[in-house]
Structures are given as C-alpha cells and as structure tokens.
Amino acid sequence: QVQLVESGGGLVQAGGSLRLSCAVSGRTFSIYATAWFRQAPGKEREFVGTINWSDDSTYYAGSVKGRFTISRDNAKNTVDLQMNKLNSEDTAVYYCAAARGSTLFQSDYAYWGQGTQVTVSS
C-alpha cells in the first residue's frame, strides 16, 4: 500500500510561480516512478511530468517543459512540482501518482493522491 498526499495548491496571478508537494508513505520501496497529472473542468486528465526513483531522471509534457520542474527528496519521501510562468491554461486540479513498473499509460499508475486545486488568475 502506498499513500500520496498533495499540498501547496492555491490562487496565483498569471506569470507567477507555485510549488506543490506530494508526501509519499507506505511501501515506498515498491515505487518505480511518480508523476504529476492535472485535470481542468470539462477536460480529460492529462500528463504533466514524471520522475524516476532510481536515477531521478525526469520527463515532461510539451505544454509545461521549460516552465515546470519535478524534484524528489529521498530522505523526506516527497516529490515537488515547481511551476513557473503560470498562465490560465494551467488552472486545474493537480494529482500526484505512483507507478510500480511501466509508466507508458495512466493505468500504470496504481496509487493516486486526492488532488490539490491550482487557480491562475488573469
């Protein structure tokens, strides 16, 4: 069993920055990678980025590459999402998820957090 709890969401002005944190607990030794997803009203949930727990390598969606950065603190078992140059298209509920193996599909992520709301004002 793996538990994930997101925090740090809130209201931010366009062009500003926000840092989200995901606290991971439970059987963390079984985690291959963690990822951030987001879902805006009326839209499908979309991939934001992922970090591999063996080497901390990262991969980002084209829409956020260069603006968002994922990092991991092994000692604290936390995964952060630093978001810069935010715009209205970034408004969504952001979710942290963990995968035990393959990360090619959303279904590969077996564990999910409750989500945290990020609202970017224009």
Side-chain angles (χ1 to χ4, degrees):
Q1 186 68 37
V2 175
Q3 296 83 40
L4 305 100
V5 180
E6 304 96 334
S7 62
L11 177 65
V12 64
Q13 190 176 34
S17 299
L18 199 64
R19 190 178 186 91
L20 306 182
S21 183
C22 174
V24 185
S25 61
R27 301 173 70 252
T28 59
F29 62 87
S30 66
I31 297 175
Y32 174 76
T34 53
W36 288 92
F37 294 83
R38 66 185 183 184
Q39 186 168 28
K43 296 183 178 180
E44 295 182 356
R45 184 171 59 197
E46 67 174 346
F47 170 79
V48 175
T50 186
I51 184 167
N52 188 290
W53 280 40
S54 66
D55 60 4
D56 284 343
S57 61
T58 55
Y59 179 78
Y60 302 93
S63 59
V64 306
K65 190 174 183 179
R67 298 189 298 120
F68 291 10
T69 302
I70 298 174
S71 61
R72 183 174 73 92
D73 188 324
N74 187 48
K76 297 181 179 180
N77 277 335
T78 57
V79 178
D80 289 354
L81 177 65
Q82 177 65 49
M83 304 182 292
N84 301 321
K85 301 178 181 178
L86 288 163
N87 57 64
S88 60
E89 298 299 316
D90 297 316
T91 295
V93 176
Y94 283 71
Y95 298 90
C96 183
R100 294 172 292 182
S102 174
T103 57
L104 294 177
F105 311 99
Q106 288 193 23
S107 59
D108 291 327
Y109 291 89
Y111 309 101
W112 294 78
Q114 82 288 348
T116 185
Q117 176 70 48
V118 173
T119 303
V120 183
S121 62
S122 58

